[in-house]
Structure formats: C-alpha cells, structure tokens
Amino acid sequence: MINRNEIIETIKMIDSQNLDVRTITMALSLFDCIDSDRKKCADKVYEKIVRKAGKLVETGEEIAAEYGVPIVNKRVSVTPISLVGAAGGGYIELARALDRAAKATGIDFIGGYSALVHKDMTPYENNFLETIDEAISTTEKVCCSVNVASTKSGMNIDAIAVMGRKLKELAEKSDSFGCGKVVVFANAVEDNPFMAGAFNGCGEGDAVINVGVSGPGVVKCALEKVKGEDIATVAETVKKTAFKITRVGQLVAREAASRLGARFGIVDLSLAPTPKVGDSVAHILEEMGLESVGAAGTTACLAILNDAVKKGGVMASNSVGGLSGAFIPVSEDIGMINAVRRGALSIEKLEAMTAVCSVGLDMIAVPGSTPAEVLSAIIADECAIGVINNKTTAVRIIPAMGKEVGDTINFGGLLGSAPVMSVSRFSPKAFISRGGHVPAPIHSNRN
C-alpha cells in the first residue's frame, strides 16, 4: 500500500530533483509492410506508423497531466529496416517514409533504420549500410543503429570497417550532427526504448509500449543524506531509490499501453543525464566520494551504482528490460563535460568505465580529422568489451568537422555540447584493413 509520505516524496522528486519519464516508445513490427515494390513498401510503412502511433503524443500528454509526471519524449521504434527493405531495396525511400511518419504523428524521434550484421552481411545488408550517410543526413527524426558484434557470434570486422567510413562520410554531409543519431552496438537488445539505438526486435510483438525512466538528480539527492556512511549503505540507498523510480515508470507504461491498444513491454530504468544542472550521473559518482569523475576509483563507483540501480529496478517490476543502468554520455552530462574540460577524463578512462555500466562510449566528440580506421578501431575496442563480458556496449562517436582537441561542438537540446577529445596518434589501419570475422569467445559455447 502506498502511504502519504511516499506520495509526498515522489512529488518532491518530480518538482525539484528532475525525476521524469524520459520516453514512451511505441515499438512497431513492420513485417506486414514488406513488399517487393519499394514504393508500396514505403507507403505501407508510413500508413502503419501513422495509424498505430497517431495518438501517442496526445496520450503521453494526457497521462503526464493526469499523474503529474513529466514525459519528456514520445518516440517510435520499428523492425530493422534492413530486413523490411530486403525484398525491394528502396532503403532511402523507407528512411524518408519514416521521417514523414514521425512528422505526421508529432513524435520526437523514430528508431529502427537498423541492421543486425554481427556475424556476416548479406548483399542487401551491404547495400543498406552504404545508404546510412545519405539516409541520416537527409532526414530529421530518423535514428540508426547497427549491431556488429555479439557474444554468441563474435565480431564482424568488415561491418566495423564500413561503419567507421560511414560515420566519417555522415559527419562531412551533416556538419557532424548526423552522427549523434547513429549508434554501433555489440549485443544490442530488442526492447531498448532509448534513442538512437531503439529498434523493435524480431522476437517482439506487433505494437509494444516500452518506457524509459530517468532520475540522476533523485539518486544524487538521496546520497546527500548518507554522507560519511559506508559503501554498503550507499548501495542500499541507490537500490531503494531505483525501486521508487521504477514504480513510477511501470504505472505510466501500463496506462499508456492500455490507452493505445498495445502490449506493455518493459520499463527501462536507466540513469540518463541531461545538460541541466542537477541531472548528472557524474555528480552521483562525485557524491560517492570522488574529487572528480575520471579519478582513480571512478570505475569502482560506477560499478556499484550500476549494480544497485539494476537490483532496485528488478525489485520493483517483473518487466524491467532494455538497458537499465547508468548512461555516461559526455555531451549530455554537465558533470562529464566539466571533467573533460578540467583534464580529469579521457577516452581511455571512459572506455574502462564502459566495462561496468550500461551501453558504452556515448556522444564522444573527436577531431574532424580523425581517420575512418581510427573510428572503426574505437568501435572494435568497445565491441570487444561487450563480447568478452557478455553485455551490451555501444559507440556513438562524432567526428567534429573543422574542430580540434579543446574545441567544443554544440548540438543543442538534450544532446548538449561536447568538448573535442584527443585520440591516439598511432594508427590501427593495418588491423582494420585485415577485415574478416573475429570468432566468438570460448564462454559463448553454452547450450
């Protein structure tokens, strides 16, 4: 039974600690839209999205008003477009159909311009990857993800090499900004509601509501009350706070699913920061006892935080899914931005942190002159962490065209701004040029 104090506490979280439902994401299957005629396929895709998600924004606003819970984004994710367009090609037409549908429904973003190429690539998937730079640079709301590795299958170096090249080409065509809508995965999950990596997996239903809840400010405020206590108390405090946050998300998700005639999927409890003061994962880690994120002990603190968040979420709901943990995007977290500027945080340290948190190197800006093979090698490093540790990892990296180390690139909105970070001056070109397939690790052979 929820008591009066818990209601008051939740209201306080919303009013002064930046608790929000970061996104309601409607995941749609487009398998019934497949057609060998590319125009018919694109028309079917547009029609289904508008029909199914036409009231998503309106419903989200109604729920936010009724329950007093801010719902920041309303989004749609779809079946990977590399599969939907396999019969007729027409990938660019499909990207534009997605963009038109997103604008017609009023949603913020649409995810699923995606491919799953973690072991090998068919000819149609090769063709799809080659369209990414044009598709993303010529659309406004379309997001792209490509899964290039998994623990069960290993790493596709050929696909990784292509993605490094495509990111470079996209940066040139979109003045860098398009790269913020592209993420490269290892072990991508099928029910992630967060962009840019959301897609509706092949094992999902026809229409599913997945909700992402976020509250870094709430966790930091909770930890301020246990200053000087031992680490076990810190972990327990985070767990209890995550429990409360997840319950809010589950309420919103069930209500949205019911009103939209969709199935309730999952609640993703991910501490996803924003550039706003008081909404930073970095500040949580510093509240745990670090002078600055990037100091020795940062990876340990992040591991404690991530584990406690997951435990609290699982206690609160049987339907916790997605990525659920702590995100560490640089441009979207004022604490991370400041740590980079003061010289406390490097790409190498961020990479170490990704071994224990959700996702990976996220919204990292590097010099625009960075070669494509270096981008590919950074992706390969991050994929290796995911494959060996049997976890989801990802890279969202932005070659900042015309900028060098120490400059800043401004994205605006939730994407914030990113200081341009240095990369190693030593070349991995010969390694990436080898191509081929990295075999799955020995521990993948479990049945």
Side-chain angles (χ1 to χ4, degrees):
M1 193 77 175
I2 298 175
N3 62 41
R4 181 172 177 274
N5 289 337
E6 288 175 317
I7 295 171
I8 293 171
E9 189 175 33
T10 302
I11 293 170
K12 186 176 180 181
M13 289 178 182
I14 294 166
D15 285 346
S16 62
Q17 298 171 11
N18 296 316
L19 172 63
D20 59 50
V21 171
R22 187 59 47 86
T23 179
I24 295 178
T25 300
M26 175 176 274
L28 296 174
S29 171
L30 299 184
F31 284 124
D32 55 345
C33 300
I34 292 173
D35 198 297
S36 58
D37 183 312
R38 61 178 61 185
K39 184 181 185 305
K40 288 182 180 178
C41 183
D43 289 344
K44 289 178 182 178
V45 165
Y46 174 85
E47 186 277 331
K48 181 165 186 178
I49 295 169
V50 172
R51 173 166 47 86
K52 289 284 190 177
K55 293 187 177 180
L56 178 60
V57 172
E58 177 187 336
T59 301
E61 290 172 351
E62 287 174 355
I63 294 171
E66 287 178 26
Y67 290 95
V69 179
I71 299 174
V72 180
N73 291 291
K74 297 86 179 175
R75 300 163 171 168
V76 168
S77 64
V78 299
T79 305
I81 291 297
S82 66
L83 303 176
V84 178
Y91 291 119
I92 298 299
E93 290 94 329
L94 285 169
R96 291 171 182 163
L98 294 178
D99 204 42
R100 290 198 312 274
K103 291 173 181 175
T105 56
I107 59 174
D108 299 284
F109 288 107
I110 187 162
Y113 198 77
S114 306
L116 309 175
V117 291
H118 34 278
K119 192 168 187 179
D120 203 349
M121 294 181 285
T122 62
Y124 67 82
E125 285 164 335
N126 264 312
N127 293 339
F128 172 84
L129 294 186
E130 291 297 334
T131 69
I132 287 173
D133 53 323
E134 182 180 353
I136 302 305
S137 65
T138 59
T139 57
E140 182 182 341
K141 295 176 179 283
V142 177
C143 291
C144 169
S145 61
V146 180
N147 194 63
V148 297
S150 75
T151 299
K152 289 294 287 185
S153 65
M155 296 165 54
N156 186 344
I157 297 298
D158 292 326
I160 289 170
V162 171
M163 289 310 299
R165 175 167 56 83
K166 286 288 125 182
L167 286 171
K168 186 79 172 180
E169 292 171 3
L170 177 56
E172 292 167 352
K173 288 183 177 181
S174 66
D175 197 22
S176 302
F177 295 101
C179 295
K181 297 190 292 177
V182 178
V183 58
V184 186
F185 276 115
N187 293 318
V189 298
E190 297 189 330
D191 55 7
N192 168 26
F194 286 98
M195 299 297 170
F199 64 90
N200 189 42
C202 299
E204 296 289 305
D206 187 62
V208 182
I209 293 294
N210 299 318
V211 163
V213 189
S214 184
V218 177
V219 175
K220 182 179 183 298
C221 288
L223 291 181
E224 288 172 356
K225 299 174 183 176
V226 293
K227 283 186 184 293
E229 300 288 344
D230 65 16
I231 289 298
T233 301
V234 168
E236 185 67 15
T237 301
V238 173
K239 184 178 74 172
K240 290 179 177 178
T241 305
F243 176 91
K244 296 170 186 174
I245 295 171
T246 305
R247 297 295 281 180
V248 172
Q250 180 167 273
L251 170 66
V252 169
R254 289 192 180 281
E255 193 65 32
S258 174
R259 296 185 188 193
L260 290 166
R263 185 176 63 81
F264 164 46
I266 57 93
V267 177
D268 184 324
L269 172 59
S270 287
L271 300 182
T274 71
K276 290 191 300 185
V277 174
D279 204 22
S280 164
V281 170
H283 290 162
I284 296 174
L285 301 177
E286 289 165 0
E287 186 63 38
M288 292 172 74
L290 303 173
E291 181 180 359
S292 172
V293 166
T298 297
T299 306
C301 287
L302 185 57
I304 295 164
L305 173 65
N306 206 62
D307 182 64
V309 166
K310 289 179 183 292
K311 286 174 177 173
V314 170
M315 283 174 59
S317 173
N318 289 326
S319 300
V320 169
L323 298 166
S324 291
F327 290 175
I328 53 171
V330 172
S331 77
E332 299 171 13
D333 188 315
I334 189 63
M336 295 288 181
I337 292 169
N338 290 336
V340 172
R341 286 177 175 159
R342 71 172 72 100
L345 191 60
S346 66
I347 286 181
E348 290 76 16
K349 183 60 177 178
L350 281 164
E351 184 180 292
M353 293 163 66
T354 65
V356 299
C357 77
S358 295
V359 199
L361 292 174
D362 196 9
M363 292 303 292
I364 309 290
V366 297
S369 58
T370 304
E373 62 267 17
V374 172
L375 301 176
S376 295
I378 291 170
I379 293 169
D381 282 343
E382 195 60 35
C383 286
I385 291 173
V387 167
I388 296 299
N389 290 289
N390 197 22
K391 70 183 293 291
T392 302
T393 53
V395 174
R396 193 160 46 144
I397 192 166
I398 294 93
M401 304 310 295
K403 297 184 182 294
E404 296 299 332
V405 175
D407 294 339
T408 297
I409 180 169
N410 293 299
F411 300 102
L414 286 175
L415 296 181
S417 63
V420 178
M421 304 176 73
S422 63
V423 297
S424 174
R425 62 186 177 87
F426 298 100
S427 176
K429 186 173 183 178
F431 163 58
I432 295 299
S433 297
R434 287 178 179 270
H437 174 254
V438 177
I442 185 65
H443 62 262
S444 71
N445 190 22
R446 297 191 306 175
N447 289 302

